[in-house]
Amino acid sequence: MDRKRSVVSCLNLEILVWIFLVFAVQLSDETNPGDVAAINNLYVALGSPSLPGWSAVGEDPCNGQWQGVVCENTNIIAIRLNAANLGGELGDNLGSFSSLKTIDLSGNHIGGSIPSILPVTLQNIFLSANTFTGSIPTSLSYLRQLSAMSLNGNHLTGEIPDSFQGLTALVNLDLSSNNLSGPLPPTIGSLSSLTTLHVQNNRLSGTLDVLQDLPLANLNVENNLFSGPIPQKLLSIPNFLKDGNLFNSSIAPLPPPTSSTTPPVSGSPTSAQMPPSQSKPGKHANGPSSAESSSTRSKKSLSVKRVVWISIASVLTFIILVLAILLIPRRCLRKWHETQRTPKHHEMAPYMGARENPGDSGSLVQPGHHIEKAPLVVTPKEKQPRRPAPIPKPQHEQVVNVQTMSAVPKKDNSEINLSRLDSDLMPPPPPPLTLPQERVAVKPITLAEDTALKPPTRPLPLTSVKSYTIASLQQYTNSFSQDNLLGSGMLSSVYRVELPNGKLLAVKKLGKRVCDQQKDDEFLDLVNNIDRIRHANVVELMGYCAEHGQRLLIYEYCSNGTLQDALHSDDEFKQQLSWNTRIRMAHGAARALEYLHEVCEPPIIHRNFKSANLLLDDELAVHVSDCGLAPLISSGAVSQLSGQLLTTYGYGAPEFESGIYTSPSDVYSFGVVMLELLTGRMSYDRTRSRVEQFLVRWAIPQLHDIDLLTRMVDPSLNGKYPIKSLSHFADIISRCVQHEPEFRPPMSEVVQDLIQMIRRESHKRSDGE
């Protein structure tokens, strides 16, 4: 009996062991317990904010429901919560993450200090535009895989730690807009991969010698206390900004002058100009007598020269007096006769035309008056027609001057007739002429006052784009009411504008952080650059506003909304998007990118290409928005954009996670848009199963299997598409979303491929008819 009991107990024990093992296997599919504990601690340190899917206990962060959390297998590899209105602090447990590669918390209100212990696996740290205090941790030296770090826009103090040894993978470093002081640390010179360094708007001092051997392409050291000569090698950096420092006027130490004709620097005579007793220290054994005789000779020489110069001056003075006596009476007599014959009001004649019309000194357009601030040779933008295709200009026409832009050609290549333009678009008349003497009737200003009153910036650039006032835009948008809100993005909010004549426009109101980062002249430069982008598939800039610290861009209005809404928000509208219509949409978007990448000089990278930025007009033609706005994306916002694209939208190319973005990155994003057109799915859809959430990851393995491919096609097409055309479309997508940027095709090649598809479909329809 006892034996039976022992056998039963053994069996029970064995069953319990098996149950435990099965339970353990099930647990092994869940997130790494260390990562779970670390992210729960982070959640509490941030103040337990209201984030979709987040919880302090009991939930698996890798279940696909936690906003901004990206997992690989059972490990958390990225946390991206930029511009999420977070507060609190980071806590002391970030170092507990086992495989965390990217942490992006830019654009929040997180305070406290940056943790001293960070995960050694980190590749990207984006903490810009928060309220961090304290110093930069010295533990950076352990982050050997670090590729990009943005700590700009915080309240960090102290010196930059000398902890960059071994960080050979670091490409981008942004420490700007803090309160950092002291010199650049020596080990920063060991960053052999560093291409972008921003340290502007701090109190850093010392020289820039430590940077001269780095492979920098972008360097900004403005508004610091750097001094000494600028190393010659830094002048070859393509984007080098250095204003607002204490640099010597010389770029590099100059060799001592060798010519006796060069005037000596005061207090340091050259050897050629020194007396023998000073110029040859090894040969003055003759003692004081030699020095005295030498001094006597030099005094005699000086006295002789002085007599000669006085004589010459006396002769010249006598000649001038004689000429004055002979000429002045005649000149005065002639002047008296002229004044007797000329009416008094003609005294202004010598000054006519002396003052040029300052195109940027007038006030902005008042409500109801659209006055364009422009030189007389510039054609107002509103009457300029679209070009049907991006045609490169001849070599002699490619240099564009902002102040003397030539008229944009019409479709028939004839010039626009200025006399036919509406009177409210004509340039302002020149201001009333005033005598130069009127400028003197002011209080004398001391040199110190004059220096304080003059701004350190350059004069505002001229622009041919129409300017609006805040008051008029508030009137046209009903004080930017929610009823007129068309959408919001990372950089701005877009509102519908209805002018008094009934015309509709779209106004992009830039966010406060973007406005604060741009000076007036920089914004007007941006306006001019956007104004130069002229293409049938690019949204046209119609005006701007720069008033009371506000920055607004006014664009043409596209009545059918965005491609994103057409594909994912309106099922009834989606039925209108036939297969041929989708091919033409892809072609229009491709032509816009081809123009930006290969026709514009210098080339323009979009950086934010997605279906939400593809607008549709009445004929469902595509107009790409946000072209030329990449300069608004500061280093800190680049990380925000990276996180937003990769997590919320899924458009980001693989290299974007490391802070690298080039024209092939735009090509990748274009491939994602083509996938949306093909499948009717969103690029990232958290409501789907975990395998299908990211469109690219789900679709790529199926693009070359015709059976799987046909199952991927948007059901709303009802099977109305040619199989061969579908295969060609999938082939273009496959090439655009290649993992390696160098394997992606240029946009001109994509455009030609789509043109061939359109031609084939046109031939088939004509043959059928």
Side-chain angles (χ1 to χ4, degrees):
M1 194 70 179
D2 293 336
R3 195 172 196 179
K4 287 183 179 180
R5 288 178 181 173
S6 62
V7 171
V8 171
S9 62
C10 287
L11 288 172
N12 290 336
L13 181 61
E14 187 174 348
I15 291 171
L16 289 173
V17 169
W18 277 107
I19 292 173
F20 176 79
L21 290 175
V22 170
F23 186 69
V25 169
Q26 290 176 346
L27 283 178
S28 65
D29 291 333
E30 296 180 355
T31 308
N32 184 317
D35 287 358
V36 174
I39 200 167
N40 287 339
N41 288 327
L42 174 62
Y43 180 68
V44 173
L46 292 173
S48 301
S50 178
L51 293 171
W54 282 61
S55 174
V57 289
E59 294 289 337
D60 179 10
C62 287
N63 61 6
Q65 303 300 315
W66 287 46
Q67 178 181 333
V69 176
V70 181
C71 297
E72 187 174 273
N73 299 323
T74 61
N75 298 319
I76 297 175
I77 62 169
I79 300 174
R80 300 189 182 92
L81 293 169
N82 42 60
N85 199 30
L86 301 178
E89 300 181 355
L90 293 183
D92 298 320
N93 293 284
L94 282 185
S96 302
F97 285 99
S98 60
S99 305
L100 190 64
K101 296 180 180 179
T102 297
I103 181 165
D104 184 353
L105 300 172
S106 305
N108 287 292
H109 310 287
I110 305 171
S113 59
I114 298 174
S116 58
I117 301 177
L118 297 168
V120 295
T121 54
L122 273 177
Q123 298 176 4
N124 304 289
I125 306 174
F126 302 128
L127 302 176
S128 59
N130 278 284
T131 58
F132 289 110
T133 57
S135 58
I136 300 173
T138 58
S139 56
L140 293 177
S141 58
Y142 298 105
L143 307 181
R144 299 304 175 95
Q145 301 178 41
L146 190 62
S147 174
M149 182 168 71
S150 297
L151 303 179
N152 51 297
N154 284 286
H155 306 298
L156 300 175
T157 56
E159 297 186 358
I160 301 174
D162 196 15
S163 305
F164 294 97
Q165 61 274 15
L167 302 188
T168 55
L170 189 59
V171 176
N172 298 323
L173 178 61
D174 193 339
L175 305 176
S176 61
S177 301
N178 281 290
N179 295 311
L180 301 173
S181 57
L184 296 175
T187 55
I188 206 170
S190 63
L191 300 177
S192 57
S193 300
L194 193 67
T195 60
T196 298
L197 175 62
H198 288 174
V199 293
Q200 70 270 20
N201 301 323
N202 280 289
R203 294 183 290 112
L204 299 171
S205 57
T207 67
L208 300 181
D209 295 346
V210 70
L211 305 178
Q212 58 184 338
D213 294 323
L214 297 179
L216 291 169
N218 301 281
L219 175 61
N220 191 336
V221 297
E222 289 186 321
N223 302 322
N224 278 288
L225 302 173
F226 291 115
S227 58
I230 301 174
Q232 191 72 28
K233 292 182 180 179
L234 298 186
L235 299 179
S236 62
I237 295 176
N239 297 304
F240 178 30
L241 302 176
K242 61 182 184 303
D243 294 339
N245 282 284
L246 306 174
F247 295 121
N248 293 353
S249 58
S250 59
I251 299 303
L254 297 174
T258 56
S259 173
S260 59
T261 60
T262 304
V265 179
S266 177
S268 56
T270 62
S271 59
Q273 295 165 328
M274 289 182 181
S277 61
Q278 296 178 5
S279 62
K280 298 180 182 180
K283 295 183 180 181
H284 58 79
N286 293 336
S289 60
S290 176
E292 289 173 3
S293 62
S294 192
S295 175
T296 304
R297 285 196 302 272
S298 66
K299 287 181 180 179
K300 289 181 179 179
S301 175
L302 287 173
S303 62
V304 171
K305 290 181 180 179
R306 189 173 297 150
V307 170
V308 172
W309 280 111
I310 290 173
S311 301
I312 293 173
S314 302
V315 173
L316 290 174
T317 304
F318 176 77
I319 293 172
I320 291 170
L321 287 173
V322 171
L323 291 174
I325 292 170
L326 293 175
L327 295 178
I328 287 177
R330 294 181 184 179
R331 187 177 182 86
C332 291
L333 184 62
R334 185 167 60 250
K335 189 73 174 178
W336 181 81
H337 282 296
E338 289 175 358
T339 56
Q340 293 298 317
R341 292 195 306 266
T342 306
K344 207 156 186 76
H345 63 269
H346 282 180
E347 291 178 3
M348 287 182 63
Y351 302 102
M352 292 292 289
R355 288 185 64 186
E356 297 180 357
N357 176 23
D360 59 349
S361 61
S363 61
L364 298 180
V365 177
Q366 298 304 314
H369 298 276
H370 305 300
I371 301 174
E372 196 168 299
K373 303 190 304 177
L376 291 176
V377 296
V378 180
T379 303
K381 179 75 184 293
E382 190 165 333
K383 291 292 183 178
Q384 295 169 357
R386 291 186 172 278
R387 296 191 299 181
I391 303 174
K393 294 183 179 180
Q395 187 67 28
H396 67 281
E397 294 180 4
Q398 289 184 357
V399 179
V400 181
N401 188 320
V402 177
Q403 299 183 12
T404 58
M405 291 174 61
S406 59
V408 178
K410 285 187 175 180
K411 291 184 180 179
D412 59 356
N413 296 325
S414 62
E415 297 242 339
I416 295 175
N417 187 358
L418 288 177
S419 63
R420 297 178 60 187
L421 296 175
D422 296 338
S423 60
D424 62 341
L425 294 178
M426 293 302 292
L433 294 174
T434 55
L435 292 176
Q437 287 83 348
E438 292 178 3
R439 301 178 187 174
V440 185
V442 294
K443 174 188 174 182
I445 299 176
T446 64
L447 179 60
E449 291 174 334
D450 185 54
T451 306
L453 289 174
K454 288 181 180 178
T457 57
R458 61 186 174 86
L460 293 179
L462 298 175
T463 177
S464 63
V465 186
K466 185 189 299 182
S467 64
Y468 291 82
T469 61
I470 284 288
S472 63
L473 293 177
Q474 284 180 330
Q475 176 185 350
Y476 302 151
T477 60
N478 192 20
S479 298
F480 298 101
S481 68
Q482 290 296 308
D483 294 337
N484 287 316
L485 181 65
L486 297 176
S488 297
M490 184 190 64
L491 298 175
S492 62
S493 297
V494 182
Y495 296 86
R496 189 173 68 100
V497 172
E498 184 172 0
L499 300 182
N501 60 6
K503 183 174 182 178
L504 296 177
L505 298 173
V507 58
K508 182 182 289 289
K509 186 179 182 184
L510 301 180
K512 185 178 184 302
R513 265 192 28 234
V514 177
C515 296
D516 292 343
Q517 290 173 356
Q518 276 218 325
K519 301 175 183 176
D520 288 343
D521 57 338
E522 294 172 340
F523 179 68
L524 290 180
D525 280 337
L526 178 76
V527 169
N528 282 327
N529 290 332
I530 298 174
D531 183 49
R532 295 190 189 113
I533 302 174
R534 309 287 180 86
H535 190 268
N537 295 107
V538 173
V539 177
E540 186 178 7
L541 182 70
M542 309 298 291
Y544 75 98
C545 175
E547 196 177 42
H548 305 302
Q550 299 287 334
R551 304 278 188 273
L552 301 99
L553 298 167
I554 295 91
Y555 291 94
E556 65 174 323
Y557 180 77
C558 293
S559 58
N560 271 318
T562 69
L563 179 61
Q564 182 186 52
D565 292 338
L567 286 172
H568 311 306
S569 299
D570 191 338
D571 292 335
E572 184 177 349
F573 185 76
K574 189 178 181 179
Q575 301 294 330
Q576 303 177 32
L577 305 183
S578 66
W579 177 249
N580 289 331
T581 299
R582 298 183 192 215
I583 295 177
R584 293 182 182 277
M585 285 178 169
H587 176 244
R591 289 178 66 236
L593 280 182
E594 177 195 26
Y595 170 78
L596 296 176
H597 292 178
E598 304 176 34
V599 178
C600 290
E601 186 60 41
I604 296 173
I605 300 174
H606 193 285
R607 282 185 174 267
N608 197 10
F609 193 87
K610 55 189 179 183
S611 60
N613 281 334
L614 304 185
L615 308 183
L616 306 177
D617 63 15
D618 294 336
E619 300 175 354
L620 298 183
V622 167
H623 304 272
V624 181
S625 67
D626 281 12
C627 297
L629 294 186
L632 292 180
I633 308 173
S634 64
S635 298
V638 165
S639 64
Q640 298 173 25
L641 179 58
S642 174
Q644 188 170 1
L645 290 177
L646 289 172
T647 59
T648 308
Y649 297 109
Y651 293 96
E655 67 272 13
F656 201 2
E657 194 166 344
S658 300
I660 300 170
Y661 202 95
T662 59
S663 55
S665 307
D666 277 348
V667 177
Y668 183 96
S669 300
F670 173 78
V672 180
V673 171
M674 286 189 67
L675 265 179
E676 289 184 84
L677 288 167
L678 172 70
T679 64
R681 295 188 176 209
M682 291 188 290
S683 56
Y684 174 73
D685 188 352
R686 62 181 302 164
T687 64
R688 295 185 180 271
S689 65
R690 190 168 175 181
V691 177
E692 299 185 15
Q693 286 182 356
F694 281 94
L695 180 58
V696 174
R697 297 179 191 172
W698 170 75
I700 291 303
Q702 308 178 61
L703 288 176
H704 299 293
D705 186 316
I706 194 64
D707 293 329
L708 296 176
L709 180 60
T710 54
R711 294 176 196 166
M712 290 169 50
V713 178
D714 188 351
S716 64
L717 287 170
N718 296 318
K720 296 179 181 178
Y721 50 83
I723 295 296
K724 194 170 183 180
S725 178
L726 179 67
S727 178
H728 285 309
F729 202 80
D731 179 64
I732 297 173
I733 295 173
S734 178
R735 287 184 287 129
C736 288
V737 295
Q738 289 287 322
H739 189 274
E740 300 299 331
E742 58 268 23
F743 295 143
R744 299 170 202 152
M747 287 310 302
S748 55
E749 182 179 317
V750 174
V751 169
Q752 291 305 314
D753 290 344
L754 290 168
I755 288 175
Q756 292 299 322
M757 289 183 62
I758 294 172
R759 285 175 178 171
R760 279 194 290 265
E761 294 307 311
S762 298
H763 289 324
K764 286 180 181 178
R765 287 197 301 274
S766 60
D767 292 343
E769 293 172 359

